[in-house]
């Protein structure tokens, strides 16, 4: 089995209407869809973890030289639609299955019950990180696109 992280940002998909303008029943349908899908994938043993993150206004960037106190600043400051809202980790048989689940997440209903077609980021979780310079070089070649 291979683990995949499926990330959800605030990219709107096909409908640009901000959720603040949705009807309460549209928000409930949206959340109900996520809840039902999560229960189904938990029951199948594929859903490993789900996390919803606080907004970037509460995020901190920490840097340190390991000699003095760390430097803590606010951030990151990226466009609202691009910040990571949450993620789920799945343990699945193949990348194809991860993409199939991502497609179902993308189809979450929005205003009028129309699927949002929200972009879902699919990333394989590495079993082990690079352990030496050669492995790091190989990783960096693929990580940079």
């Amino acid at each position: 089995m291979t683990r995949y992280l499926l990330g959800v940002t605030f990219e709107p998909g096909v409908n640009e209407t901000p959720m603040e303008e949705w009807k309460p029943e549209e928000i409930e349908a949206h959340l109900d869809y996520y809840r039902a899908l999560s229960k189904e994938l938990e029951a199948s043993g594929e859903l490993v973890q789900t996390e919803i993150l606080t907004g970037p206004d509460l995020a901190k960037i920490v840097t340190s030289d390991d000699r003095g106190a760390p430097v803590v600043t606010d951030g990151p400051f990226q466009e609202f639609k691009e910040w990571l809202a949450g993620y789920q980790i799945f343990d699945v048989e193949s990348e194809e299955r991860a993409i199939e689940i991502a497609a179902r997440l993308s189809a979450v209903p929005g205003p009028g019950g129309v699927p949002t077609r929200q972009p879902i980021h699919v990333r394989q979780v590495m079993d082990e990180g690079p352990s030496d310079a050669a492995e790091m070089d190989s990783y960096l070649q693929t990580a940079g696109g």
Side-chain angles (χ1 to χ4, degrees):
M1 300 281 275
T2 305
R3 291 178 300 143
Y4 285 86
L5 180 142
L6 277 58
V8 177
T9 65
F10 277 86
E11 295 172 82
V14 295
N15 189 316
E16 296 283 334
T17 305
M19 191 174 275
E20 297 84 22
E21 297 177 17
W22 293 14
K23 298 174 186 171
E25 59 271 18
E26 293 170 334
I27 294 172
E28 285 300 322
H30 184 86
L31 295 173
D32 287 345
Y33 180 93
Y34 274 130
R35 284 189 278 263
L37 183 56
S38 289
K39 282 184 182 180
E40 174 189 329
L41 296 167
E42 283 174 1
S44 73
E46 294 172 301
L47 179 57
V48 174
Q49 181 179 349
T50 296
E51 299 295 341
I52 299 173
L53 305 174
T54 62
D57 56 324
L58 299 176
K60 303 290 182 214
I61 302 295
V62 178
T63 58
S64 174
D65 62 7
D66 202 27
R67 289 191 272 273
V71 176
V72 180
T73 58
D74 293 336
F77 300 105
Q78 56 194 31
E79 285 191 57
F80 174 76
K81 68 180 182 175
E82 295 173 343
W83 61 266
L84 187 64
Y87 65 89
Q88 296 174 309
I89 296 179
F90 293 91
D91 196 2
V92 294
E93 291 289 333
S94 65
E95 180 180 49
E96 291 77 19
R97 178 63 179 147
I99 290 171
E100 186 178 298
I101 293 169
R104 293 183 66 194
L105 290 169
S106 178
V108 64
V114 175
T116 63
R117 295 176 57 189
Q118 181 179 25
I120 304 297
H121 299 243
V122 178
R123 304 268 304 271
Q124 184 176 343
V125 176
M126 295 177 70
D127 291 327
E128 293 182 24
S131 62
D132 60 29
E135 286 182 7
M136 181 58 80
D137 184 55
S138 177
Y139 169 75
L140 292 173
Q141 288 180 22
T142 61

